[in-house]
Amino acid sequence: MFAYCTDPASLDGLAWLACYLTTGKHMAFYASFGTVMLLLAITAPTALLFGFGGAVAARARFLPLRMLGKTYIAIVRSVPDIAFFLFFVIALDQGLEYLRLLALCPDWDQPVRQGNDFVVCSAAKLPSNSAPQWVHEVYGFLLAMFTFAIVFGAFAANVLFGAMMAVPRAQIETAEAYGMTRAQTFRRILVPQMWVYALPGLSNLWMVLVKATPLLFLLGVEDIVYWARELGGSVTPRFSDYPHGDWRVWYFLALLVFYLLLTRVSEIVLERLMKRLTFGQATTGGMAA
Amino acid sequence: MKTILTATAALALGTGMAFAAEHSETVRLGTEGAYAPYNFLDDNGEVAGFERQLGDELCARAELTCEWVTNDWDSIIPNLVSGNYDAIMAGMSITDERDEVIDFSDPYTQPDPSVYVSTMDDVDVENAVVAAQSGTIQAGHVASMEGATLVEFATPEETVAAVRNGEADAVLADKAFLMPIVENESELSVVGDDVLLGGGIGMGFRESDGELREKFNAAIQSMKDDGSLNALIEEWLPDGATF
């Protein structure tokens, strides 16, 4: 980074630190904060969408849809995250590759499953083997995002399901008395009023999601915890120009500060949101008489 | 959800079309990147070490374009059989259990001695708490010892840290990994004799990928024949036996 960094062994104090903190490895560490924030920014709304869909399905009058919603909520919530991340993602990836095999290699005659192996023609590989590494990383990231959304969507569905049940029956009855249809009641009365009951549960989920990103490395996506562990681990002079002992505690302290800040900001935003959503509602939070 | 799925599928098919035009296939090599001197990340975050140099040379001899990928140790075999990369080169010893799931190339190191390292000189490793990385031959070995208690960790670094902070009495790992650490830290020392485990380190392939395995076997053999493999072993694994 800096010109004087060519011989780090001769440096000490701040100059050494400046060089140390700007190595390629550290740059990757800083970039991983962006990866994590991006993942959160995309996953949270997607998960909420899945959750909303799941909750609506779970209270549908049409039996198969209701079964689907309930099954989604029950199954995904009961499978451990780490198992879900290992198996679901691999299954998803193989499913996509299988579809591509059917589309792109019509004269493929070998079985797709050969013992433990999953084999498709090279054109069906996703991403292609020859694609640059960043394509593989973006693909892994998308898979991760989708998986996070499904997992957290199931929890969100349960929270929203409960919240919809918590809206006072009298409100719904009044809407019916006004002659609103079921859809109108849902749209105009139920959904606007349920958020106050859903928000505490959803904010819990958000906090758990924030800290769930180390699961990313199971998919080869390097997150902040991976880099903190990698950078903090002791290195001997043979393998690095910047040998040091076990510094993991410092890196994890930095992560601690990052997580605390993120939590604090989240709390402030959620509090404001709560105020807004409960405005005029007959709850202690809404302070309507 | 349906639109998302369709969109993903369309995107997936689309990118594939674009890349299908390129013909020469890249071979992706999966490694852990946390096991110096075999494989580790250098200051620039690039994969480096014995296996990096060896792998690059093997690819050159086999006339293949290779790309390095880092992956968590615990999921390194599932991701290989699922096709996310084509070969494992991660200091993985050849064992019968692993051989049931994947195929190994010829070994590119002799069976590597493992050693116990501890802060105490007089620790009785047969009846001690021993740290090892989960899913390794060393962990399997400690688990099979009657008196010893195994503590497993996800990364090699953590096994050594456990000894430093007293959580474990000793760590069992490859000698080539532990020696540079012991040389650098006066509190740590080797306890007892070398333990010989496994059948040497080899590259892991999918069982259905015999062709690629043969290519690498030929390259490994040519490096054994002209002595360049021994030169690499002497450079990176000073205690390792040569061919």
Side-chain angles (χ1 to χ4, degrees), chain B residues 131-152:
Chain B
Q133 187 183 11
S134 57
T136 59
I137 46 173
Q138 287 86 6
H141 179 70
V142 177
S144 69
M145 300 195 316
E146 250 170 45
T149 311
L150 170 68
V151 213
E152 289 183 293

Side-chain angles (χ1 to χ4, degrees), chain A residues 23-25 93-94 100 114 116-119 125 129-130 133 136 222 233-234 237-241 248, chain B residues 12 16 24-26 28 40-43 67 70 81-84 86 157-158 161 164 184 206-208 236:
Chain A
T23 55
K25 223 172 172 180
D93 177 45
Q94 293 184 350
R100 284 164 54 89
Q114 300 181 14
N116 294 303
D117 301 357
F118 178 80
V119 189
K125 283 256 177 158
N129 254 19
S130 308
Q133 181 57 19
H136 286 269
E222 287 134 358
S234 57
R238 249 184 82 194
F239 307 126
S240 166
D241 293 334
R248 284 182 301 173
Chain B
S24 66
E25 278 291 300
T26 307
R28 290 162 57 79
F40 60 95
L41 299 184
D42 66 11
D43 290 330
E67 170 102 34
T70 47
V81 296
S82 170
N84 290 353
D86 307 300
E157 169 70 21
E158 285 166 301
R164 281 196 205 102
N184 232 39
R206 281 184 291 277
E207 292 189 322
S208 55
W236 288 98

